[in-house]
Amino acid sequence: MGKTIIISNRLPVQLEISNGTINAIPSVGGLATGMKSVHSDGDSLWIGWSGLVEEDISEELEPKIDQALAEHGSSKVQLTKEDIDGFYYGFSNRTIWPLFHYFMEYTEFEWDSWESYQAVNQKFADAIVEKADPDDTIWVHDYQLMLVPQLVREQLPDISIGFFLHIPFPSYEIFRTLPWRKEILEGLLGSDLIGFHTYDYERHFLSSVRRLLGLEVSFNDIYYEDRMVEVDSFPMGIDYKKFSETAAKHANRKEEELSELQKRLNLHKNLSPDAKFLLSIDRLDYTKGIAKRLNAFEYFLNKYPQYKEKVRLIILAVPSRSNVPQYQLLKREVDELVGRINGEFATVNWTPIWYFYRSMPFENLIDLYTTCDIAWLTPIRDGMNLVAKEYIATRTDRSGVLILSEMAGSANEMNEALLINPNNFEEIADTLDRAINMPLEEQKSRNAVLQKRLERYNVENWAKDFMGSLTEQGQKEKSYVAR
Ligand code: ADP
Ligand code: G6P
């Protein structure tokens, strides 16, 4: 049994150079946080982009960079500034990301960025081929690298390749608008196994394969050239133990061990013990519905004025893709909304919204999860949403209410949460009212079921499940080819 090569655009850490020193900063986002736990457990190599562009890497720095990455079991693919503009900010985040999240109006179809996407996918494929032994398993991740399976297959026809998509796969009617739809499908079909978070995404993919490529599909097997490709759904889990154990540890801290953030949170809790803290945590992304959530909060305060001075919304937004115009516009919109709502409702004793625009260390995330009475997550479209799962895992006393958009992949497995349509402000306001008044016993019984499920299908079991299916598929394919 060889090693596993994980390949994704983002590595578990991102490198930054400041005054000639290399700093490794943990990457944010579901893919990196989830795969990190899987990677640290086993015999794997992770290949991806270091966060630095070739132009910034001198001959003298290069060995230090390689060393810094090696400490995280990683190896880099060198990308130029032009690659990042065309492949990352261009095709990945101005074409595929909005299209696959049903934001047609944000989707750009640019030939130059498509060319860059192809060239960079080739770079990733070459990096794999350089490091791979014949008995290795290749696990390709996400929408930035959808051509990689086919490009690797061309050079290593017999190697085992799995692909997992961390974002939704859209319905055929949306996907068919893409000028390079066939090339993307063929790129993916270089894999032996293609995984999605939900059965719906899987179904959409199979429908596109059938209708655009005219291929024979039997149940979830696709017959392609002389191979058989399997498609299945694997809802990604979290490192449950890490979240629940850290939360339990936090609950037993002495006063002097508390973080500054926790002290400040406690201070406000003590000032008004019956006040409720609402929490939302996301990357600052238009798919996450942050602006809509703020508008819905304003609607709620007007509909239920009795909660003025009684609720506080904490919004933690991590900066993301700030070179893409839609993200810059969103930043401005959120800044303005927070300012306007705080201006409209604040009193001398109360600021309704606390807004943090930054990444936070893990320990502070746990402080927020464990202190806030309600997690309120309203993505307009989200492949999975791991934050919802992380919140539940940290509620060791089983108190807390999760309000979750039904448009998040995780809503499929979290029926005990209060599910809402992020576009329905009336429903949201009433659900907030319900969450604020939910009896503790009800909170506990809902969270007990959720926790049991999340603990069982954690990220480790998710990865095992995927890799197990990939191995089985290899056997099935061998007997298919032998026929
Ligand atoms: P996405 O992958 O679209 O960003 P997810 O909810 O699936 O959304 O995953 C987000 C991950 O990033 C979670 O593991 C969460 O803990 C982490 N995260 C989100 N916001 C922050 C932040 N401000 N600081 C640090 N980590 C964050
Ligand atoms: C989502 C995507 C990941 C991506 C992450 C952060 O989780 O599925 O592939 O890494 O967002 O986005 P970024 O553009 O910063 O890598």
Side-chain angles (χ1 to χ4, degrees), residues 28-30 33 281 283 288 316 318 358-360 365 369 385-387 390:
V28 178
T33 54
I281 297 188
R283 277 181 307 101
K288 303 285 185 181
L316 175 60
V318 66
R358 71 184 76 131
S359 180
M360 274 207 188
L365 279 185
Y369 283 143
N385 198 295
L386 295 178
V387 168
E390 293 171 3

Side-chain angles (χ1 to χ4, degrees), residues 9-10 28-32 88 93 97 142-144 166-167 283 320-321:
N9 179 51
R10 279 274 173 225
V28 178
L31 188 170
Y88 174 72
N93 288 315
W97 180 269
D142 228 358
Y143 65 103
Q144 302 91 345
H166 291 257
I167 67 173
R283 277 181 307 101
S320 188
R321 306 174 195 163

Side-chain angles (χ1 to χ4, degrees), residues 167-183:
I167 67 173
F169 194 92
S171 84
Y172 163 73
E173 285 302 339
I174 294 280
F175 184 71
R176 71 192 295 210
T177 62
L178 183 68
W180 310 280
R181 57 202 185 179
K182 285 194 175 171
E183 288 85 340

Side-chain angles (χ1 to χ4, degrees), residues 371-386:
T371 307
C372 292
D373 310 280
I374 297 167
W376 183 26
L377 306 167
T378 59
I380 299 171
R381 231 10 109 164
D382 204 337
M384 173 50 73
N385 198 295
L386 295 178

Side-chain angles (χ1 to χ4, degrees), residues 78-97:
Q78 287 271 51
L79 300 184
T80 63
K81 188 172 175 314
E82 207 182 332
D83 289 337
I84 291 302
D85 285 344
F87 150 78
Y88 174 72
Y89 287 116
F91 197 77
S92 298
N93 288 315
R94 289 196 209 190
T95 305
I96 297 296
W97 180 269

